[in-house]
Amino acid sequence: MRILLGDIGSTYSKLTLVDLEKQQVLAQASACTSIESSVMEGVQLALSQLRARLLPQPPEPLYQQALFCSSAAGGLKMVAIGLSKGLTAEAAKRSALGAGARILKTFHYFLSDDDLAEINRLKADIILLAGRTDYGNTDNILSNAKKLLELESSPPVVVAGNVEVAEEVSRILSAKIPVYLSENVMPAVNEINPDPVRRVIRQVFMSTITKAKGLSELSRKVGPVLMPTPDAVLEAAKLLSRGTEKTSGLGDLLLIDIGGATTDVHSIGEGLPDPDLLRKNLIRFEGLREPLAKRTVEGDLGLRYSALSLYESLGENSLRTAFSCDFAEACAFRAQHVDFIPDTAEEIAVDQALAHYCAMKALQRHGGSLRSEFRKKSNVTVQQGKDLSRFGLMIGTGGVLVHSPDPQKILQVEAAPLLPHAPRYAIDKLYLISAMGLLSTVDAEAALKILKDDLLFL
């Protein structure tokens, strides 16, 4: 059986044809995404390229099944609402990120008229409404549900708050707004529950958002759009890390995707404090417990669209440690010429340096933090967030890494307590991560084998 796997991006539509019996990739092709007219134009062009690469005699039919993911038209844009900034609102934000969304803004406490005006302006695809732990405060989420009825538009709302009033909240909203009910994103204090929300968001994406983004023709004529592209990437990372019932995975890992607009970091692993230090009461964990599979998106760290914000985030002094170069001018040029491809040794070196700083800054933000407190006549170290120090593998994906003369130099982790201490490094040499996330929904064994074969260890 041959299966066609497609990723409809904002710039390119990428197709991968896989033979399931042989568990191997037969061919790949890509074409510019025709988002202004119909995405089918770019897909048809890429299909023609696939057939040409299977000459002299491409099989007929070319495939028996097709599956797609998409980040076209700005990806899946969401607003998250919760009670407290550091707890339910943060839990909602992390759950939405794990579902492959781009978080436009997070709101907390009681929505004001100004908040409502901003939500109208943001034009989100989905609103995630959370609020308090199960059987806790009910006033907040009920009030915010009533406030959302005043919106000018009616994007779908995923309700993922206090179970005690979830049905009532759904009834309030359903008078005007499409409502989807999920389990609470934070059922107990500091306990995050992202997977049920991911499943519901994926359902909304398939049933309504793909139509709004002009992907319904693709679903009808070729195959369904199952999920946002970042969700597919996270599925692939989980498969690589945890494996299947038959085949072992590669253990705790990090996947870093450096792009023109953002740098995404996916981590698969608990990231809890060192067990020996816990037993000796030398460290303790506090705050919102991280999910096993976590994704963060850094919108100010990118090599083209976000090059100026990258420069502002890092500053000239940090960048000058690489080599002598006018980084302000280099970043400004890249922001103005987003299709720029470096062709000299110096320009390639500048991209490599910028990519390294994207990776390190994003990794630092993704990981946890430590602080020291004096308690009961002794110093105790307090950890918040994930400890990545024992993660054994870092995988890089994205054009700057795949085409780099020295990708390990980009990924090389700088010394820090909660960052990986001695990881192996690898790159996704054929851009198969998102495709294999899709394939895992059909044949996880084949997807895992192809993923392992695809990794180029450095």
Side-chain angles (χ1 to χ4, degrees), residues 61 196 219 266 315:
S219 297
H266 301 75

Side-chain angles (χ1 to χ4, degrees), residues 76-80 89-106 126 128 185 192 194-195 197-199 201-202 228-235 238 262-267 288 290-291 293-299 365-366:
L76 178 61
K77 297 175 287 188
M78 290 185 64
V79 162
E90 181 64 20
K93 174 184 175 182
R94 294 186 192 183
S95 297
L97 283 169
R102 179 161 67 92
I103 302 299
L104 301 177
K105 188 162 182 178
T106 303
I126 301 175
L128 178 57
V185 295
I192 187 169
D195 287 341
V197 178
R198 282 185 63 208
R199 289 193 292 269
I201 290 173
R202 188 182 294 181
T229 300
D231 193 13
V233 171
L234 194 62
E235 288 293 332
K238 285 168 61 179
T262 69
T263 297
D264 295 11
V265 180
H266 301 75
S267 64
L288 192 62
E290 302 278 14
K294 176 184 177 182
R295 169 181 173 249
T296 52
V297 181
E298 306 304 335
R365 294 176 184 175
H366 185 94

Side-chain angles (χ1 to χ4, degrees), residues 5 8 68 200 206 210 215 237 254 330 450:
L5 306 160
I8 311 300
F68 290 87
V200 173
M206 289 176 63
T210 55
L215 297 168
L254 287 153
I450 294 170

